[in-house]
Amino acid sequence: MSIKSKQLLWFFAFFLVFELNIYLSNDMIMPAMLGIVDEFQAEKKFVPLSLSLYLLGGSSLQIFLGPLADCIGKRKLVLTGNALFLLATLAVPLTASIEQFLAVRFIQGMGCCFIFVGYAMIHELFDDMAAVKLSSILSSTTILAPLAGPILGSAIISRLDWRYVFFLSGLLALLSLLGLFKTMPRAAPTVTRLDLAAIMRSYAAIFSNGRFMFGMFTAGLATVPLTAWIGFSPIFVLQEMGASYATYIALQCVILSGFVLSSIAIQRLRQDFPLVTLLRMGGLIAAAGMLGAGAGRHHVDVFAACMFVYSIGFGLFNGALLRSAITASKESMTLTTAAMSLLYCIYLSAWLQLYNVLCQRFGYALETYALLNIPVIVVIAACLLLFTRGMAERRESEVRLARH
Protein backbone atom coordinates (compact mmCIF):
# COMPACT_ATOMS: atom_id res chain seq x y z
CA MET A 1 0.00 0.00 0.00
CA SER A 2 1.45 3.36 -1.05
CA ILE A 3 1.86 6.35 1.26
CA LYS A 4 -0.85 8.13 -0.69
CA SER A 5 -3.32 5.30 -0.28
CA LYS A 6 -2.59 5.17 3.45
CA GLN A 7 -3.35 8.86 3.68
CA LEU A 8 -6.62 8.36 1.81
CA LEU A 9 -7.64 5.60 4.19
CA TRP A 10 -6.90 7.87 7.15
CA PHE A 11 -9.03 10.54 5.48
CA PHE A 12 -11.84 7.99 5.18
CA ALA A 13 -11.45 6.98 8.85
CA PHE A 14 -11.73 10.56 10.11
CA PHE A 15 -14.65 11.28 7.79
CA LEU A 16 -16.36 8.18 9.20
CA VAL A 17 -15.88 9.59 12.72
CA PHE A 18 -17.42 12.90 11.55
CA GLU A 19 -20.51 11.28 10.04
CA LEU A 20 -21.05 8.79 12.86
CA ASN A 21 -20.71 11.56 15.45
CA ILE A 22 -23.41 13.66 13.75
CA TYR A 23 -25.89 10.81 14.04
CA LEU A 24 -24.71 9.67 17.48
CA SER A 25 -25.02 13.16 18.91
CA ASN A 26 -28.72 13.12 18.13
CA ASP A 27 -29.42 9.57 19.27
CA MET A 28 -27.38 9.82 22.49
CA ILE A 29 -29.39 12.76 23.77
CA MET A 30 -32.85 11.24 23.19
CA PRO A 31 -32.96 9.28 26.51
CA ALA A 32 -32.21 12.56 28.33
CA MET A 33 -34.85 14.70 26.63
CA LEU A 34 -37.45 14.18 29.34
CA GLY A 35 -35.00 15.46 31.92
CA ILE A 36 -34.05 18.40 29.72
CA VAL A 37 -37.63 19.62 29.24
CA ASP A 38 -38.21 19.22 32.98
CA GLU A 39 -35.08 21.24 33.76
CA PHE A 40 -36.20 24.01 31.43
CA GLN A 41 -39.79 23.73 32.74
CA ALA A 42 -41.09 23.05 29.23
CA GLU A 43 -43.80 20.82 27.79
CA LYS A 44 -43.39 17.26 26.47
CA LYS A 45 -44.03 18.41 22.90
CA PHE A 46 -40.47 19.77 22.82
CA VAL A 47 -39.00 16.25 23.01
CA PRO A 48 -39.86 15.29 19.40
CA LEU A 49 -39.56 18.93 18.29
CA SER A 50 -35.86 18.78 19.15
CA LEU A 51 -35.47 15.94 16.64
CA SER A 52 -37.54 17.75 13.99
CA LEU A 53 -35.44 20.91 14.25
CA TYR A 54 -32.22 18.90 14.11
CA LEU A 55 -33.46 17.32 10.87
CA LEU A 56 -34.55 20.69 9.47
CA GLY A 57 -31.09 22.05 10.18
CA GLY A 58 -29.75 19.12 8.20
CA SER A 59 -31.83 20.17 5.19
CA SER A 60 -31.09 23.89 5.20
CA LEU A 61 -27.88 24.15 3.15
CA GLN A 62 -27.54 21.28 0.67
CA ILE A 63 -29.13 23.09 -2.24
CA PHE A 64 -26.42 25.77 -1.96
CA LEU A 65 -23.52 23.47 -1.06
CA GLY A 66 -23.82 21.37 -4.22
CA PRO A 67 -22.80 24.15 -6.63
CA LEU A 68 -20.45 25.72 -4.05
CA ALA A 69 -18.41 22.52 -3.75
CA ASP A 70 -17.27 22.77 -7.35
CA CYS A 71 -16.44 26.47 -7.00
CA ILE A 72 -14.42 26.69 -3.76
CA GLY A 73 -13.43 23.05 -3.30
CA LYS A 74 -14.83 20.12 -1.34
CA ARG A 75 -12.06 20.17 1.29
CA LYS A 76 -12.96 23.66 2.49
CA LEU A 77 -16.65 22.79 2.71
CA VAL A 78 -16.15 19.59 4.72
CA LEU A 79 -13.80 21.36 7.17
CA THR A 80 -16.26 24.24 7.50
CA GLY A 81 -19.10 21.80 8.21
CA ASN A 82 -17.06 19.97 10.84
CA ALA A 83 -16.08 23.24 12.52
CA LEU A 84 -19.71 24.45 12.51
CA PHE A 85 -20.85 21.20 14.11
CA LEU A 86 -18.10 21.39 16.74
CA LEU A 87 -18.98 24.94 17.78
CA ALA A 88 -22.71 24.24 17.91
CA THR A 89 -22.17 21.03 19.90
CA LEU A 90 -20.11 22.84 22.53
CA ALA A 91 -22.73 25.62 22.67
CA VAL A 92 -25.63 23.28 23.54
CA PRO A 93 -24.58 22.77 27.20
CA LEU A 94 -24.44 26.56 27.63
CA THR A 95 -28.13 27.07 26.78
CA ALA A 96 -30.37 28.35 29.57
CA SER A 97 -33.85 27.82 28.12
CA ILE A 98 -35.69 25.38 25.88
CA GLU A 99 -35.83 28.04 23.13
CA GLN A 100 -32.05 28.45 23.18
CA PHE A 101 -31.59 24.68 23.29
CA LEU A 102 -33.77 24.16 20.21
CA ALA A 103 -32.12 27.01 18.27
CA VAL A 104 -28.64 25.62 18.85
CA ARG A 105 -29.83 22.12 18.00
CA PHE A 106 -31.03 23.47 14.65
CA ILE A 107 -27.56 24.92 13.98
CA GLN A 108 -25.94 21.69 15.15
CA GLY A 109 -28.05 19.76 12.65
CA MET A 110 -26.59 21.87 9.84
CA GLY A 111 -23.44 19.78 10.14
CA CYS A 112 -25.33 16.97 8.43
CA CYS A 113 -25.64 19.14 5.29
CA PHE A 114 -21.94 18.66 4.54
CA ILE A 115 -21.92 14.87 4.61
CA PHE A 116 -22.77 14.38 0.94
CA VAL A 117 -19.69 16.45 -0.04
CA GLY A 118 -17.45 13.88 1.66
CA TYR A 119 -19.27 11.07 -0.13
CA ALA A 120 -18.52 12.77 -3.45
CA MET A 121 -14.81 13.00 -2.54
CA ILE A 122 -14.68 9.29 -1.73
CA HIS A 123 -16.16 8.38 -5.11
CA GLU A 124 -13.60 10.63 -6.79
CA LEU A 125 -10.54 9.44 -4.84
CA PHE A 126 -11.04 5.65 -4.80
CA ASP A 127 -11.53 3.14 -7.58
CA ASP A 128 -14.91 1.51 -8.19
CA MET A 129 -14.76 -1.46 -5.83
CA ALA A 130 -13.03 0.44 -3.03
CA ALA A 131 -15.58 3.25 -3.28
CA VAL A 132 -18.48 0.77 -3.12
CA LYS A 133 -17.06 -0.95 -0.03
CA LEU A 134 -16.26 2.30 1.76
CA SER A 135 -19.66 3.78 0.95
CA SER A 136 -21.27 0.65 2.38
CA ILE A 137 -19.36 1.18 5.63
CA LEU A 138 -20.48 4.82 5.76
CA SER A 139 -24.10 3.82 5.17
CA SER A 140 -23.94 1.48 8.14
CA THR A 141 -23.59 4.51 10.44
CA THR A 142 -27.30 5.21 9.95
CA ILE A 143 -27.93 1.76 11.42
CA LEU A 144 -25.31 1.83 14.16
CA ALA A 145 -26.20 5.25 15.59
CA PRO A 146 -29.86 4.51 16.56
CA LEU A 147 -28.70 1.28 18.19
CA ALA A 148 -25.55 2.50 19.96
CA GLY A 149 -26.68 6.08 20.66
CA PRO A 150 -29.40 5.34 23.24
CA ILE A 151 -27.10 2.87 25.00
CA LEU A 152 -24.25 5.37 25.29
CA GLY A 153 -26.62 8.20 26.17
CA SER A 154 -28.36 6.18 28.86
CA ALA A 155 -25.00 5.14 30.34
CA ILE A 156 -23.86 8.77 30.51
CA ILE A 157 -27.02 10.33 31.95
CA SER A 158 -27.43 7.56 34.52
CA ARG A 159 -24.18 8.74 36.13
CA LEU A 160 -23.57 12.27 34.87
CA ASP A 161 -25.40 15.39 33.76
CA TRP A 162 -26.93 15.32 30.26
CA ARG A 163 -24.46 18.00 29.14
CA TYR A 164 -21.68 15.41 29.14
CA VAL A 165 -23.32 13.84 26.08
CA PHE A 166 -22.39 16.97 24.14
CA PHE A 167 -18.93 17.14 25.71
CA LEU A 168 -18.27 13.64 24.35
CA SER A 169 -19.66 14.59 20.96
CA GLY A 170 -17.52 17.73 21.00
CA LEU A 171 -14.36 15.70 21.61
CA LEU A 172 -15.21 13.44 18.68
CA ALA A 173 -15.90 16.48 16.50
CA LEU A 174 -12.52 17.97 17.42
CA LEU A 175 -10.82 14.65 16.62
CA SER A 176 -12.44 14.44 13.20
CA LEU A 177 -11.67 18.11 12.43
CA LEU A 178 -7.97 17.75 13.23
CA GLY A 179 -7.77 14.45 11.39
CA LEU A 180 -9.51 15.73 8.28
CA PHE A 181 -7.38 18.88 8.25
CA LYS A 182 -4.25 16.72 8.20
CA THR A 183 -5.34 13.92 5.85
CA MET A 184 -7.97 15.33 3.48
CA PRO A 185 -6.50 15.74 -0.03
CA ARG A 186 -6.25 19.19 -1.55
CA ALA A 187 -7.74 19.70 -5.00
CA ALA A 188 -8.27 22.75 -7.14
CA PRO A 189 -11.90 23.82 -7.70
CA THR A 190 -13.39 22.39 -10.88
CA VAL A 191 -15.10 25.64 -11.91
CA THR A 192 -13.90 29.22 -11.62
CA ARG A 193 -17.31 30.82 -11.10
CA LEU A 194 -20.88 29.85 -10.40
CA ASP A 195 -23.24 29.84 -13.37
CA LEU A 196 -26.39 30.70 -11.45
CA ALA A 197 -28.62 30.50 -14.52
CA ALA A 198 -27.45 26.97 -15.33
CA ILE A 199 -27.79 25.91 -11.69
CA MET A 200 -31.35 27.24 -11.54
CA ARG A 201 -32.26 25.42 -14.77
CA SER A 202 -30.85 22.16 -13.40
CA TYR A 203 -32.72 22.47 -10.11
CA ALA A 204 -35.91 23.41 -11.98
CA ALA A 205 -35.57 20.27 -14.10
CA ILE A 206 -34.96 18.11 -11.00
CA PHE A 207 -37.89 19.49 -8.99
CA SER A 208 -40.23 19.24 -11.99
CA ASN A 209 -39.39 15.56 -12.52
CA GLY A 210 -42.55 13.75 -11.43
CA ARG A 211 -40.91 10.37 -10.80
CA PHE A 212 -38.17 11.95 -8.66
CA MET A 213 -40.63 14.00 -6.60
CA PHE A 214 -43.05 11.10 -6.11
CA GLY A 215 -40.24 8.76 -5.11
CA MET A 216 -38.86 11.24 -2.57
CA PHE A 217 -42.33 11.86 -1.11
CA THR A 218 -42.76 8.11 -0.62
CA ALA A 219 -39.26 7.68 0.83
CA GLY A 220 -39.77 10.54 3.29
CA LEU A 221 -43.13 9.18 4.43
CA ALA A 222 -41.78 5.63 4.79
CA THR A 223 -39.02 6.82 7.12
CA VAL A 224 -41.45 8.57 9.47
CA PRO A 225 -42.59 5.60 11.61
CA LEU A 226 -39.06 4.57 12.63
CA THR A 227 -37.82 8.14 13.05
CA ALA A 228 -40.92 9.00 15.07
CA TRP A 229 -40.23 5.98 17.25
CA ILE A 230 -36.70 7.31 17.95
CA GLY A 231 -38.09 10.75 18.79
CA PHE A 232 -41.15 9.72 20.82
CA SER A 233 -39.98 6.51 22.50
CA PRO A 234 -38.49 8.27 25.57
CA ILE A 235 -42.01 9.54 26.33
CA PHE A 236 -43.74 6.25 25.48
CA VAL A 237 -41.36 3.97 27.36
CA LEU A 238 -39.70 5.97 30.11
CA GLN A 239 -42.58 8.22 31.12
CA GLU A 240 -45.93 6.72 30.09
CA MET A 241 -44.95 3.07 30.66
CA GLY A 242 -42.65 3.91 33.58
CA ALA A 243 -40.12 1.41 32.26
CA SER A 244 -36.39 1.34 32.95
CA TYR A 245 -33.55 2.44 30.68
CA ALA A 246 -32.80 -1.26 30.14
CA THR A 247 -36.29 -1.80 28.72
CA TYR A 248 -35.95 1.31 26.59
CA ILE A 249 -32.66 0.08 25.14
CA ALA A 250 -34.02 -3.43 24.58
CA LEU A 251 -37.00 -2.10 22.61
CA GLN A 252 -34.70 0.10 20.50
CA CYS A 253 -32.49 -2.89 19.68
CA VAL A 254 -35.41 -5.17 18.78
CA ILE A 255 -37.20 -2.69 16.55
CA LEU A 256 -34.19 -1.21 14.76
CA SER A 257 -32.25 -4.46 14.34
CA GLY A 258 -34.67 -5.44 11.57
CA PHE A 259 -33.03 -2.76 9.46
CA VAL A 260 -29.63 -4.35 10.15
CA LEU A 261 -30.85 -7.77 9.01
CA SER A 262 -32.35 -6.37 5.82
CA SER A 263 -29.08 -4.59 5.01
CA ILE A 264 -27.18 -7.87 5.39
CA ALA A 265 -29.75 -9.63 3.19
CA ILE A 266 -29.41 -7.01 0.44
CA GLN A 267 -25.63 -7.55 0.34
CA ARG A 268 -26.30 -11.18 -0.59
CA LEU A 269 -28.63 -10.47 -3.49
CA ARG A 270 -27.34 -11.11 -6.98
CA GLN A 271 -26.26 -8.10 -8.98
CA ASP A 272 -29.19 -8.25 -11.42
CA PHE A 273 -31.94 -8.67 -8.82
CA PRO A 274 -34.90 -6.56 -10.06
CA LEU A 275 -35.50 -3.36 -8.09
CA VAL A 276 -39.24 -3.68 -8.75
CA THR A 277 -39.29 -7.03 -6.96
CA LEU A 278 -37.30 -5.63 -4.05
CA LEU A 279 -39.67 -2.67 -3.72
CA ARG A 280 -42.79 -4.83 -3.79
CA MET A 281 -41.42 -7.49 -1.45
CA GLY A 282 -40.18 -4.91 1.05
CA GLY A 283 -43.46 -2.98 0.88
CA LEU A 284 -45.51 -6.12 1.54
CA ILE A 285 -43.39 -7.09 4.56
CA ALA A 286 -43.49 -3.53 5.92
CA ALA A 287 -47.29 -3.33 5.56
CA ALA A 288 -47.77 -6.65 7.35
CA GLY A 289 -45.51 -5.55 10.20
CA MET A 290 -47.11 -2.15 10.65
CA LEU A 291 -50.67 -3.46 10.60
CA GLY A 292 -49.65 -6.11 13.12
CA ALA A 293 -48.12 -3.45 15.37
CA GLY A 294 -51.39 -1.53 15.27
CA ALA A 295 -53.38 -4.62 16.16
CA GLY A 296 -50.99 -5.57 18.98
CA ARG A 297 -50.58 -2.07 20.39
CA HIS A 298 -51.84 -3.09 23.84
CA HIS A 299 -49.07 -5.70 24.21
CA VAL A 300 -45.62 -4.14 24.03
CA ASP A 301 -43.87 -7.42 23.14
CA VAL A 302 -46.23 -8.04 20.20
CA PHE A 303 -45.91 -4.42 19.13
CA ALA A 304 -42.08 -4.58 19.20
CA ALA A 305 -42.01 -7.85 17.22
CA CYS A 306 -44.26 -6.40 14.52
CA MET A 307 -42.26 -3.17 14.36
CA PHE A 308 -39.20 -5.38 13.88
CA VAL A 309 -40.95 -6.83 10.82
CA TYR A 310 -41.71 -3.32 9.54
CA SER A 311 -38.06 -2.41 10.02
CA ILE A 312 -37.04 -5.37 7.84
CA GLY A 313 -39.46 -4.41 5.08
CA PHE A 314 -38.43 -0.76 5.19
CA GLY A 315 -34.77 -1.71 4.95
CA LEU A 316 -35.48 -3.84 1.89
CA PHE A 317 -37.31 -1.23 -0.17
CA ASN A 318 -35.82 2.07 1.03
CA GLY A 319 -32.47 1.88 -0.80
CA ALA A 320 -34.11 0.71 -4.01
CA LEU A 321 -36.67 3.52 -3.78
CA LEU A 322 -34.01 6.20 -3.32
CA ARG A 323 -31.91 4.76 -6.16
CA SER A 324 -34.91 4.71 -8.51
CA ALA A 325 -35.85 8.27 -7.59
CA ILE A 326 -32.33 9.67 -8.02
CA THR A 327 -31.74 8.03 -11.40
CA ALA A 328 -35.02 9.45 -12.70
CA SER A 329 -33.25 12.76 -13.22
CA LYS A 330 -30.62 13.22 -15.93
CA GLU A 331 -29.16 16.29 -14.25
CA SER A 332 -25.90 16.52 -12.28
CA MET A 333 -25.67 13.81 -9.64
CA THR A 334 -24.31 16.34 -7.13
CA LEU A 335 -27.31 18.61 -7.58
CA THR A 336 -29.77 15.69 -7.66
CA THR A 337 -28.33 14.29 -4.42
CA ALA A 338 -28.51 17.73 -2.81
CA ALA A 339 -32.17 18.05 -3.86
CA MET A 340 -32.85 14.56 -2.53
CA SER A 341 -31.34 15.38 0.86
CA LEU A 342 -33.32 18.62 1.05
CA LEU A 343 -36.68 17.01 0.26
CA TYR A 344 -36.01 14.00 2.47
CA CYS A 345 -35.40 16.12 5.56
CA ILE A 346 -38.28 18.51 4.85
CA TYR A 347 -40.82 15.72 4.35
CA LEU A 348 -39.55 13.88 7.41
CA SER A 349 -39.64 16.97 9.63
CA ALA A 350 -43.14 17.92 8.45
CA TRP A 351 -44.59 14.48 9.11
CA LEU A 352 -42.86 14.26 12.50
CA GLN A 353 -44.39 17.56 13.52
CA LEU A 354 -47.83 16.30 12.45
CA TYR A 355 -47.29 13.23 14.65
CA ASN A 356 -46.30 15.56 17.47
CA VAL A 357 -49.46 17.68 17.13
CA LEU A 358 -51.72 14.59 17.04
CA CYS A 359 -49.96 12.93 19.96
CA GLN A 360 -50.30 16.13 21.94
CA ARG A 361 -54.02 16.16 21.12
CA PHE A 362 -54.76 12.48 21.85
CA GLY A 363 -52.07 11.67 24.38
CA TYR A 364 -48.41 10.68 24.19
CA ALA A 365 -49.07 6.96 24.44
CA LEU A 366 -47.83 3.93 22.55
CA GLU A 367 -51.39 3.18 21.42
CA THR A 368 -51.74 6.63 19.82
CA TYR A 369 -48.48 6.22 17.91
CA ALA A 370 -49.45 2.72 16.70
CA LEU A 371 -52.84 3.92 15.43
CA LEU A 372 -51.26 6.90 13.64
CA ASN A 373 -49.01 4.49 11.73
CA ILE A 374 -51.95 2.59 10.18
CA PRO A 375 -53.12 5.27 7.69
CA VAL A 376 -49.46 6.08 7.01
CA ILE A 377 -48.66 2.51 5.94
CA VAL A 378 -51.77 2.42 3.75
CA VAL A 379 -50.54 5.53 1.90
CA ILE A 380 -46.99 4.10 1.67
CA ALA A 381 -48.30 0.83 0.20
CA ALA A 382 -50.43 2.70 -2.37
CA CYS A 383 -47.47 4.91 -3.36
CA LEU A 384 -45.15 1.92 -3.75
CA LEU A 385 -47.75 0.17 -5.90
CA LEU A 386 -48.07 3.18 -8.20
CA PHE A 387 -44.31 3.75 -8.30
CA THR A 388 -43.47 0.15 -9.18
CA ARG A 389 -46.25 0.00 -11.76
CA GLY A 390 -44.67 2.98 -13.50
CA MET A 391 -41.26 1.30 -13.35
CA ALA A 392 -42.66 -1.90 -14.88
CA GLU A 393 -44.40 0.01 -17.67
CA ARG A 394 -41.22 1.90 -18.52
CA ARG A 395 -39.25 -1.33 -18.61
CA GLU A 396 -41.76 -2.92 -20.97
CA SER A 397 -41.62 0.16 -23.19
CA GLU A 398 -37.81 0.03 -23.31
CA VAL A 399 -37.89 -3.68 -24.22
CA ARG A 400 -40.34 -3.03 -27.07
CA LEU A 401 -38.19 -0.21 -28.41
CA ALA A 402 -35.07 -2.40 -28.23
CA ARG A 403 -36.81 -5.13 -30.24
CA HIS A 404 -37.78 -2.69 -32.96
Side-chain angles (χ1 to χ4, degrees), residues 51-102:
L51 175 59
S52 297
L53 288 174
Y54 190 83
L55 292 172
L56 278 177
S59 68
S60 57
L61 300 175
Q62 287 97 326
I63 200 167
F64 308 106
L65 295 180
L68 200 59
D70 293 331
C71 185
I72 69 172
K74 297 181 178 66
R75 173 186 164 88
K76 290 181 180 179
L77 278 186
V78 174
L79 292 176
T80 300
N82 196 328
L84 174 66
F85 180 78
L86 170 61
L87 293 175
T89 299
L90 295 179
V92 175
L94 303 178
T95 57
S97 67
I98 192 64
E99 291 79 14
Q100 293 177 12
F101 178 86
L102 295 175

Side-chain angles (χ1 to χ4, degrees), residues 206-236:
I206 293 169
F207 288 120
S208 62
N209 186 300
R211 183 181 165 204
F212 170 78
M213 294 297 290
F214 187 58
M216 289 313 306
F217 170 81
T218 308
L221 182 60
T223 312
V224 170
L226 290 180
T227 309
W229 168 256
I230 294 171
F232 287 77
S233 55
I235 302 177
F236 299 153

Side-chain angles (χ1 to χ4, degrees), residues 78-256:
V78 174
L79 292 176
T80 300
N82 196 328
L84 174 66
F85 180 78
L86 170 61
L87 293 175
T89 299
L90 295 179
V92 175
L94 303 178
T95 57
S97 67
I98 192 64
E99 291 79 14
Q100 293 177 12
F101 178 86
L102 295 175
V104 178
R105 286 279 288 159
F106 177 84
I107 298 172
Q108 188 191 26
M110 288 181 178
C112 192
C113 299
F114 298 80
I115 291 297
F116 83 95
V117 183
Y119 272 79
M121 288 189 71
I122 288 169
H123 283 285
E124 292 172 356
L125 295 169
F126 292 91
D127 60 35
D128 289 342
M129 186 51 64
V132 169
K133 291 181 178 179
L134 294 177
S135 295
S136 177
I137 294 173
L138 289 172
S139 298
S140 67
T141 60
T142 60
I143 304 171
L144 177 62
L147 292 176
I151 297 175
L152 289 173
S154 297
I156 292 172
I157 65 175
S158 64
R159 295 171 174 81
L160 302 167
D161 187 85
W162 61 267
R163 292 169 177 82
Y164 283 89
V165 168
F166 293 101
F167 294 150
L168 173 60
S169 184
L171 285 175
L172 291 174
L174 179 61
L175 173 65
S176 62
L177 180 61
L178 295 176
L180 288 172
F181 181 81
K182 183 176 179 59
T183 62
M184 189 182 304
R186 301 176 184 271
T190 57
V191 298
T192 56
R193 66 181 183 86
L194 292 175
D195 187 343
L196 295 180
I199 293 170
M200 293 297 292
R201 286 194 298 270
S202 294
Y203 274 131
I206 293 169
F207 288 120
S208 62
N209 186 300
R211 183 181 165 204
F212 170 78
M213 294 297 290
F214 187 58
M216 289 313 306
F217 170 81
T218 308
L221 182 60
T223 312
V224 170
L226 290 180
T227 309
W229 168 256
I230 294 171
F232 287 77
S233 55
I235 302 177
F236 299 153
V237 180
L238 298 177
Q239 181 168 299
E240 297 301 321
M241 293 171 52
S244 64
Y245 282 119
T247 301
Y248 169 76
I249 293 170
L251 288 173
Q252 295 286 75
C253 290
V254 169
I255 292 173
L256 297 173

